[in-house]
Every structure is written in structure tokens, then in C-alpha cells.
Amino acid sequence: MYAAIRQGKAKTGMAEELTRRIKEGAIPIISGVEGFMGYYVVYAPDDTVTAISLFNNFAGAEEANRRALAWIEKDLAPLLTGPATAMAGPVIVHTLA
């Protein structure tokens, strides 16, 4: 299993608009990548937004980040305080209930 992780800092008060845009824009883009397994977004109290996508191959994780960063730059940039960052790699520990 591989994770693609993107992170950015939202402008204060943008949680609802970010949620709407992510549901309408990012989910269709990320879920269409080959090997897609899951997608999670965490909105921290300090307005840091972290998106985690899971894939069954590294190529899918890298492709998801490529597509997501392009989409973020085009559609989310006005809601963020600066550029988003991205990384991908193997999941070395995981568990489910």
C-alpha cells in the first residue's frame, strides 16, 4: 500500500468552502487514478489541511499528487495562504479496527 499526501494552510474561515470544492473537484480526480483505495482529508485547528490518498501501487500515488497539485493550484489557491506540498511513499505500518 502507498500513500500520497498533500498539505496546505487554509485562510481562516475557509473550511466549508474547502470542503465543498474538495468533494466536487478533488475526489473525482483522485478516485479516477489507477490503484485508488481511499481518500481522507484532515482539517486541523490551525487551518492546516492534509489530504491522504491510498493506492495499491507507487505510480498511482505519484500520479495522484501530480493531478492534485495541478488542481489545487487552479481551484484552491485563492483559499490557501501559500502553495501546497506533496509527498508519496510506501505505508510501512497500518491497522484497522
Side-chain angles (χ1 to χ4, degrees), residues 14-87:
M14 293 291 119
E16 285 185 35
E17 182 61 17
L18 276 167
T19 299
R20 184 188 69 76
R21 291 188 190 193
I22 290 167
K23 285 180 179 177
E24 293 175 1
I27 290 175
I29 291 168
I30 301 302
S31 64
V33 174
E34 186 176 339
F36 174 78
M37 297 172 61
Y39 184 72
Y40 306 88
V41 178
V42 179
Y43 197 101
D46 70 348
D47 296 313
T48 298
V49 182
T50 305
I52 304 162
S53 309
L54 299 175
F55 294 86
N56 64 15
N57 60 67
F58 185 65
E62 286 189 311
E63 177 64 14
N65 275 343
R66 186 189 68 74
R67 291 183 190 186
L69 286 174
W71 176 80
I72 290 166
E73 187 175 314
K74 179 178 165 241
D75 291 343
L76 284 190
L79 306 180
L80 302 177
T81 62
T85 60
M87 60 84 62

